Amino acid sequence: MQSLDGPLTSPGSASAAAVSRHERVVQRLLRLQRITAALAGARTLADVASTIIDQGMPALDAEVGVVALLSTDGTSLRNLGFKGVPVDTEEAWAEYPVDSPVPVAEAARIGAPIIVPTREERNARYPVLASVHGVDHGGAVAAFPLVLESRTVGSLGFCFPASRTFDADDHAFILSIAQQCALAIERVRWHEVAEQEIAHRRASEEALRARERELTALVAELRQAQEALREADRRKDDFLAMLAHELRNPLAPLLNAVELIKVAGPATPVIDRARTIMDRQIGHMSRLVDDLLDISRISRGKITLSIERLDLVELARATALDYRSLLDARGVRFELALPPAPVWLQGDPTRLAQAIGNLLQNANKFTDDGGSVRLSLAPDPARGVVSVEVADTGIGMDPAVLERIFEPFSQADQSPARSRGGLGLGLALVKGVVELHGGSVRAASGGLGRGAAIAITLPLSAAASRAVDARRSAAAPSASSRRILIIEDNVDAADSLRMLLERRGHAVAVAHSGADGVAAARIAPPDVILCDIGLPGAMNGYGVARMLRAESAMRKTLLVALTGYGQDDDRKLAHAAGFDAHLTKPVAQAMLERLLAELAPVSGTA
């Protein structure tokens, strides 16, 4: 048997030819096994082509071998392997159109084998092959398409020496290796696709990991930013509380001084006018301070409602009475449209009065002299709600303002002068208070110069409406003379309050520090102690309360915290220290007298 790499044996006699053919068949079977094993390990298309050419050419005793890949659009061929021609020929024919006049192109184009058995026929049919080979030599040419499931993926071809004839065994062998080649090409392609997919997936996973790292870093930055915002918010609240305290301290003696002017005796029209102006402006400043603190508390959810069953009709009527004088003084016609029967709901009367009052204050601010304001209340039992609306004939609002009118610091007055004043907190407070009650707010306007209407909607009480008993008297109970101790480091505030209380018949003593106040209370136990919280020295107002509450002689004394600190936490601290009541400066005298009448014992009684 000849070597696998040796030339094929030329036949002699008939018996010799039979033996030679048998050996060639065995040789090619072994060659196919080798090709199959080599193709199984091929990882690239070039590996496939080199295996076919390197194994096929010796087995066929060919002098030229080529394996070409058909483009996906079927218009061109790219040589994967080309052996037996000069290097410049390989470069010139690296890629060529599928309609080129060469056998491998024609086999790929028609999808069938091309067999040219003689040199003469080859030169006549494919004259270009002479230039491809470099010299006019050789004989038969065979080209086979690479077919996979009726789909042509390329072609392969061999050129033989002039002395070599092409027979049926050659045809069968080339067909076998063509099938093996087509399968290997498809497998390598799928392998390449899989590797590309794996590479893409790895790249995607790495991109995701990188994105995850970025997001983790971003989350950390956001947390730091949130913490910084919380700290800034806390500092802002602390600043507002301190600002309110510092503003309320001078407001308290001013309000007391106004009250003193009122009760001092006969006054001229000029003095009455000045007192009215001062009273109004102090009230305005007090509302601004309260609004600043309330909007901060509402935004942080630190408002605690004192819920009770109340008649909204009565509350709206009382609130309207408080604001009627403001409207009347400017010649604004005020109309009150309330139902005759009570409208019951669960709510905080103080906060709801504040909300309705803010609506009236807003209408007063934006309605010119001679205009009109209407407060109406309309229950809707079918929906289980009641609406309170304040409508005016004022400056109105354009749609852009309506969209943000309930946002803090939003101003309806968009003129450069801002002549209407205010911080833009009133309606934001209304919205906050109403939403805490489970209600909603809405605003409407026909446009600039056409007035506005703002309404709040609240849920009715779940309890059935019942007729109320005799109404309570609106007048505050009368206060008898009491012994009162004022502990206040602000001399103006202490003296003005002392003079006011003495004018009302009370016996008043003053101390300007916590220690002096405790000593004064021990010497002559009072009925009432009005104590500032922010006292100088080692003992503040909380310390005064704790120390006096520990003494049996002071257990029935009314302790009132009179302070510029007015947040909910401040009230809780005051009650925890032993105070009976917490009043925020400046305190209206009517409120203080009502507190004294209702809670304070009269000297000589229990």
Side-chain angles (χ1 to χ4, degrees), residues 135-308:
V135 292
D136 187 12
H137 70 285
V141 173
F144 281 64
L146 303 176
V147 180
L148 186 69
E149 297 180 352
S150 303
R151 177 169 52 89
T152 301
V153 297
S155 62
L156 60 81
F158 295 98
C159 293
F160 302 95
S163 60
R164 174 76 163 83
T165 59
F166 188 85
D167 57 21
D169 290 341
D170 296 329
H171 188 285
F173 180 71
I174 296 176
L175 182 61
S176 295
I177 64 175
Q179 292 171 345
Q180 294 274 17
C181 183
L183 288 171
I185 286 175
E186 187 71 5
R187 182 182 56 78
V188 168
R189 277 180 163 177
W190 277 111
H191 181 72
E192 289 178 346
V193 169
E195 285 188 336
Q196 291 174 357
E197 180 64 25
I198 291 172
H200 176 71
R201 186 176 302 171
R202 286 174 179 169
S204 299
E205 290 174 353
E206 180 58 34
L208 286 174
R209 284 192 290 269
R211 184 58 178 164
E212 184 179 0
R213 290 191 294 269
E214 292 176 3
L215 290 175
T216 301
L218 181 59
V219 168
E221 291 178 6
L222 287 175
R223 285 175 179 168
Q224 291 178 354
Q226 289 173 347
E227 185 59 35
L229 287 173
R230 281 192 290 268
E231 177 63 18
D233 187 58
R234 186 189 64 79
R235 291 178 180 273
K236 178 259 296 179
D237 293 332
D238 292 344
F239 169 75
L240 287 177
M242 182 58 65
L243 176 64
H245 178 264
E246 294 302 318
L247 289 174
R248 281 170 173 156
N249 274 334
L251 283 176
L254 285 174
L255 184 60
N256 293 338
V258 171
E259 292 294 326
L260 280 172
I261 294 173
K262 186 188 300 183
V263 299
T268 66
V270 174
I271 293 176
D272 281 342
R273 176 62 175 163
R275 182 191 60 77
T276 301
I277 293 172
M278 292 171 63
D279 197 11
R280 183 170 59 251
Q281 295 303 320
I282 291 172
H284 180 57
M285 289 240 357
S286 298
R287 283 193 299 274
L288 291 178
V289 172
D290 289 339
D291 285 354
L292 275 173
L293 289 178
D294 281 345
I295 199 65
S296 175
R297 287 195 290 262
I298 288 175
S299 66
R300 292 181 295 129
K302 289 195 172 183
I303 287 286
T304 301
L305 299 180
S306 298
I307 300 296
E308 61 183 69

Side-chain angles (χ1 to χ4, degrees), residues 448-463:
L448 293 177
R450 303 181 65 180
I454 300 175
I456 62 178
T457 301
L458 296 164
L460 290 169
S461 173

Side-chain angles (χ1 to χ4, degrees), residues 66-190:
V66 61
V67 175
L69 184 69
L70 187 64
S71 63
T72 55
D73 60 2
T75 61
S76 64
L77 288 166
R78 175 168 61 91
N79 281 340
L80 300 177
F82 202 179
K83 189 175 182 179
V85 297
V87 173
D88 57 347
T89 302
E90 288 187 32
E91 294 175 352
W93 286 82
E95 187 169 357
Y96 44 93
V98 75
D99 57 357
S100 297
V102 291
V104 289
E106 187 175 355
R109 187 169 64 251
I110 67 175
I114 302 296
I115 308 296
V116 183
T118 65
R119 173 182 176 182
E120 291 73 20
E121 185 179 351
R122 183 201 69 188
N123 289 340
R125 188 170 175 180
Y126 306 107
V128 72
L129 287 183
S131 62
V132 170
H133 291 180
V135 292
D136 187 12
H137 70 285
V141 173
F144 281 64
L146 303 176
V147 180
L148 186 69
E149 297 180 352
S150 303
R151 177 169 52 89
T152 301
V153 297
S155 62
L156 60 81
F158 295 98
C159 293
F160 302 95
S163 60
R164 174 76 163 83
T165 59
F166 188 85
D167 57 21
D169 290 341
D170 296 329
H171 188 285
F173 180 71
I174 296 176
L175 182 61
S176 295
I177 64 175
Q179 292 171 345
Q180 294 274 17
C181 183
L183 288 171
I185 286 175
E186 187 71 5
R187 182 182 56 78
V188 168
R189 277 180 163 177
W190 277 111

Side-chain angles (χ1 to χ4, degrees), residues 319-329 332 334-336 360:
T319 306
L321 185 62
D322 292 338
Y323 283 87
R324 181 181 289 275
S325 59
L326 290 176
L327 298 164
D328 291 344
V332 175
F334 184 42
E335 180 183 355
L336 190 60
L360 291 172

Side-chain angles (χ1 to χ4, degrees), residues 484-564:
I484 300 175
L485 172 62
I486 300 172
I487 307 176
E488 168 66 76
D489 63 307
N490 187 310
V491 176
D492 289 341
D495 287 348
S496 58
L497 182 57
R498 175 185 58 79
M499 287 187 288
L500 269 177
L501 293 172
E502 286 177 344
R503 294 282 301 192
R504 296 182 182 274
H506 302 292
V508 184
V510 175
H512 295 300
S513 70
D516 290 345
V518 170
R522 287 170 175 168
I523 294 171
D527 300 317
V528 181
I529 296 177
L530 304 176
C531 182
D532 186 24
I533 297 297
L535 295 171
M539 186 183 299
N540 61 14
Y542 301 133
V544 171
R546 284 191 289 266
M547 183 167 290
L548 292 180
R549 280 299 182 222
E551 301 184 11
S552 58
M554 303 294 172
R555 289 179 182 173
K556 293 185 178 180
T557 298
L558 177 67
L559 284 180
V560 179
L562 195 62
T563 173

